[in-house]
Amino acid sequence: MLVVGRLALAAVGWWIDFSDEPVASDIIVALAGSYGRPPCAADLYLEGYAPEIWISRPLRPSVAVRLERIGFHLPKEEAVNLAILAKKGVPAKRVRFYAQGAQSTIDEALSLGREFPPRGKKILVVTSRFHARRARLIFRRVLPGAEVRVVA
């Protein structure tokens, strides 16, 4: 029953796909929270959709902080994302970090707005299918002067 429920939920997610078609943009923003997002951002970069990729520095998970206390260091999410982008062929000089300790999509949008003046800019946001609608609503509200498109 649980497996059938998960499959049905996944099917609904694909049916309710709120992602946009990518267009030439000023930047690509790969949201934190999934290691599936940086490869998509890299593909968009390599296809020429934008000259740089921005990735946030999310808040460290509490388990990572606890492990650091005993001397075990997990790589930060932004470091893993940077490594993924490099593996895909994105030069490090084309990657920008923003935010510090972002805890949510709203934090990411607010931080981006402070560090990248959005008025009149085109921003291509990369997220997952289940998150596309919410990400689009948040980024368009927080960055009203920008043209925001969300790719999942």
Side-chain angles (χ1 to χ4, degrees), residues 1-39:
M1 193 77 161
L2 183 62
V3 172
V4 171
R6 285 186 180 209
L7 289 173
L9 185 59
V12 168
W14 283 95
W15 181 69
I16 305 175
D17 182 2
F18 288 95
S19 63
D20 300 310
E21 287 297 317
V23 296
S25 299
D26 295 294
I27 62 171
I28 297 166
V29 177
L31 296 182
S34 170
Y35 294 125
R37 296 169 185 173

Side-chain angles (χ1 to χ4, degrees), residues 5 10 13 42 79 93 103 133:
K93 66 183 179 186
Q103 297 184 53
R133 180 179 187 177

Side-chain angles (χ1 to χ4, degrees), residues 16-119:
I16 305 175
D17 182 2
F18 288 95
S19 63
D20 300 310
E21 287 297 317
V23 296
S25 299
D26 295 294
I27 62 171
I28 297 166
V29 177
L31 296 182
S34 170
Y35 294 125
R37 296 169 185 173
C40 179
D43 290 343
L44 292 167
Y45 168 84
L46 294 170
E47 291 170 20
Y49 282 102
E52 57 187 22
I53 298 174
W54 287 52
I55 53 178
S56 70
R57 295 182 209 96
L59 184 68
R60 295 278 284 164
S62 59
V63 68
V65 173
R66 286 194 308 272
L67 289 172
E68 286 174 1
R69 288 187 194 131
I70 63 169
F72 188 84
H73 299 282
L74 291 174
K76 293 182 177 181
E77 183 176 335
E78 62 267 27
V80 174
N81 288 342
L82 181 61
I84 292 168
L85 293 172
K87 252 328 182 190
K88 292 282 290 183
V90 177
K93 66 183 179 186
R94 294 295 177 191
V95 179
R96 297 275 311 262
F97 293 99
Y98 76 100
Q100 186 64 50
Q103 297 184 53
S104 66
T105 306
I106 293 171
D107 284 349
E108 288 179 296
L110 290 168
S111 294
L112 184 68
R114 286 190 296 271
E115 298 180 41
F116 180 78
R119 183 144 318 275

